[in-house]
Amino acid sequence: MRRPPGSRCCPPALMLCSGGCARSTGLLLTLLAMLLLLLLPAQRSLWLQLSRTPVHHRATTTAAPRRVTQASWPSPVPSMPPELGDTYGQDETYSSSGCPNSIRKKIGATEFGATFLSTIPVLQWARHAQEDEYQRLHQYGGAHGWKDIRWDVLKSSLSLLNASSSALLFDIRPLATSCTRCAVVGNGGILHGSGMGPTIDAHDYVFRVNGAITEGFERDVGSRTSFYVFSTNTMVNALRSYAANGFRHPPQTPETCYVFLPDHDRDYLLLRAALSQQRVDSGRDAGVHPQEFFGKDLQVGKFRMLHPDFIRYLRNRFLRSHILATPFWQLYRPSTGAVMLLTAIHTCDQVSAFGFITPGYRAYSDHYYDRERKEVQFFINHDLRMEMQLWQRLQRSGILWLYTGSEGT
Ligand SMILES: *[C@@H]1O[C@H](CO)[C@@H](O)[C@H](O)[C@H]1NC(C)=O
């Protein structure tokens, strides 16, 4: 049985810059790139990447907590360099949907059978605030680990994410034979004039990312948001870049849950502030009240946080870009939109993707809400071409339904 539109995801209890690039970040990257190019003229692949893709400057659930073990999963990919860290914790949470043709039941027989790990941790919560876990994840930087997070910040922040809802995006129904259907909405210009709004809103859950403007675009993109996926960095950039398009704050409907993709300590500091209903007490966002972003309802059931193992796994196994073989490898991560779509693929039974990049992307503006036409922009910290190819492969494998407008692929 389908949930009525407006049901809550959690019952009470692109580009360095997929969120819109801060000028300073783009400039910094450009300078870094030029410096490295001067120092490393022999980096041919790097040169190609930069010359083809210039850096532009622009602005609940009541389920019982599941067993989680810290055991390592051996890598079946022998060529993986050890610094990429292709070993992960395990989480048994996602094995139990009753849907007869769920993604998890189908994926083993596809080309992704050896890529997919059924016990990869998707979310992190209080259970993970342990010193041995900290030692393990302290090896990896950015979104891929906890290298840049102090133990006291990490512990005090994650410990607050301690509700039964913290371990799951949404309730899994092991006995139901119906399937959980998710609409995952990127911000691509292909949605402009699409009329897909009612189709999107008719799904059980609707995912959105970064500068997710719905007001005034309901016909094309719908109005519901069950999950808003962001890093604090991409959200703040999007607020700055798309204010003129009407993006004043992330969606704040009663059903909306906020899913952090932590890639900096500012994410842990903002989460801690939100869950203790206080202003951010330190770092770049010191003094900001979380209500500015998330509205007045700051109960723990409204928040989730993606696990660094999950982001590293997506990078290593689904979006292992050639950028990883360049001096920029530490800047690279899957785009926030890509992480959102792959999160849905790892949690929902069926996934429809709207507003993601397609081979015909040159025919559309960058975003559906652009007032003037803008080219899609490529940055060296993401690999949008590889993401585009991945969506095509997942579509061909029957894992994903991808909105392609009139491209007819
Ligand atoms: C979660 O942590 C808070 C703050 O430490 C505490 O008051 C609350 O009882 C905890 N809730 C659960 C379900 O353990």
Side-chain angles (χ1 to χ4, degrees):
M1 199 169 58
R2 184 118 28 105
R3 286 175 189 72
S7 70
R8 305 175 125 206
C9 71
C10 38
L14 291 145
M15 306 175 183
L16 183 67
C17 304
S18 52
C21 227
R23 278 170 209 282
S24 56
T25 321
L27 187 61
L28 185 70
L29 272 181
T30 310
L31 289 173
L32 191 66
M34 289 170 71
L35 184 68
L36 276 163
L37 278 174
L38 287 173
L39 294 174
L40 299 162
Q43 290 287 341
R44 187 162 167 276
S45 63
L46 180 60
W47 173 256
L48 286 176
Q49 169 70 9
L50 287 170
S51 58
R52 260 194 264 119
T53 62
V55 174
H56 292 253
H57 309 151
R58 64 166 173 172
T60 325
T61 164
T62 49
R66 306 308 206 278
R67 189 171 67 86
V68 178
T69 64
Q70 315 294 329
S72 290
W73 188 282
S75 168
V77 188
S79 63
M80 189 87 70
E83 66 271 20
L84 294 183
D86 191 43
T87 53
Y88 311 97
Q90 291 191 49
D91 181 345
E92 310 291 338
T93 304
Y94 295 96
S95 322
S96 53
S97 160
C99 171
N101 58 345
S102 68
I103 289 172
R104 282 176 178 263
K105 293 195 174 88
K106 289 194 292 195
I107 200 165
T110 70
E111 63 162 305
F112 298 97
T115 306
F116 178 83
L117 297 181
S118 64
T119 57
I120 189 73
V122 177
L123 297 174
Q124 58 175 339
W125 65 94
R127 173 71 181 76
H128 299 97
Q130 296 176 12
E131 289 207 58
D132 55 349
E133 188 78 336
Y134 187 73
Q135 294 310 320
R136 184 175 72 83
L137 287 168
H138 197 250
Q139 304 172 69
Y140 311 112
H144 308 107
W146 290 340
K147 188 177 199 153
D148 312 307
I149 320 297
R150 285 194 344 237
W151 166 241
D152 61 308
V153 170
L154 183 96
K155 186 172 189 328
S156 59
S157 178
L158 270 194
S159 299
L160 296 171
L161 211 45
N162 64 349
S164 54
S165 59
S166 305
L168 286 168
L169 273 189
F170 47 80
D171 210 357
I172 291 172
R173 295 164 290 171
L175 299 178
T177 52
S178 66
C179 303
T180 301
R181 300 164 58 247
C182 297
V184 185
V185 187
N187 298 328
I190 193 171
L191 282 175
H192 189 87
S194 67
M196 281 291 122
T199 306
I200 289 169
D201 279 349
H203 287 72
D204 295 312
Y205 299 107
V206 180
F207 289 65
R208 298 187 197 272
V209 65
N210 291 334
I213 308 171
T214 53
E215 205 183 324
F217 299 94
E218 291 87 349
R219 222 188 129 262
D220 291 339
V221 307
S223 56
R224 292 179 53 209
T225 305
S226 320
F227 298 102
Y228 174 75
V229 181
F230 65 103
S231 71
T232 305
N233 192 49
T234 64
M235 174 177 68
V236 169
N237 288 346
L239 285 166
R240 188 163 35 214
S241 300
Y242 310 130
N245 302 76
F247 188 56
R248 307 260 180 267
H249 53 71
Q252 295 178 354
T253 68
E255 74 166 310
T256 306
C257 285
Y258 301 97
V259 184
F260 282 85
L261 189 183
D263 60 5
H264 194 277
D265 67 351
R266 66 195 298 199
D267 297 290
Y268 294 89
L269 292 166
L270 179 58
L271 177 73
R272 185 172 75 181
L275 295 182
S276 48
Q277 319 237 346
Q278 287 168 0
R279 291 180 185 275
V280 178
D281 60 13
S282 54
R284 282 176 68 171
D285 308 298
V288 170
H289 201 291
Q291 283 188 2
E292 290 178 26
F293 304 131
F294 311 125
K296 290 203 163 60
D297 183 2
L298 298 173
Q299 60 172 312
V300 63
K302 298 279 281 184
F303 295 90
R304 305 286 190 278
M305 193 173 250
L306 293 168
H307 198 296
D309 273 351
F310 186 60
I311 312 302
R312 206 170 66 257
Y313 153 86
L314 297 182
R315 177 194 70 181
N316 291 346
R317 287 167 170 259
F318 288 84
L319 288 164
R320 195 170 154 199
S321 171
H322 69 279
I323 298 169
L324 290 170
T326 74
F328 296 119
W329 74 275
Q330 294 191 80
L331 290 178
Y332 171 76
R333 72 161 168 83
S335 72
T336 312
V339 171
M340 167 174 72
L341 182 44
L342 288 160
T343 297
I345 285 170
H346 282 74
T347 53
C348 304
D349 292 324
Q350 295 171 5
V351 172
S352 315
F354 302 84
F356 280 79
I357 189 167
T358 59
Y361 70 89
R362 288 180 191 82
Y364 313 105
S365 192
D366 198 352
H367 306 109
Y368 62 78
Y369 44 75
D370 291 337
R371 297 238 164 100
E372 294 163 8
R373 196 191 150 79
K374 288 183 190 153
E375 299 288 304
V376 175
Q377 299 183 58
F378 296 85
F379 293 86
I380 49 167
N381 61 328
H382 300 314
D383 191 340
L384 288 196
R385 288 186 180 81
M386 187 175 200
E387 292 180 5
M388 178 171 80
Q389 284 154 12
L390 178 59
W391 313 144
Q392 296 287 308
R393 287 165 56 211
L394 286 164
Q395 159 112 315
R396 281 197 297 270
S397 296
I399 300 301
L400 179 69
W401 180 88
L402 179 68
Y403 177 71
T404 56
S406 55
E407 284 170 43
T409 48

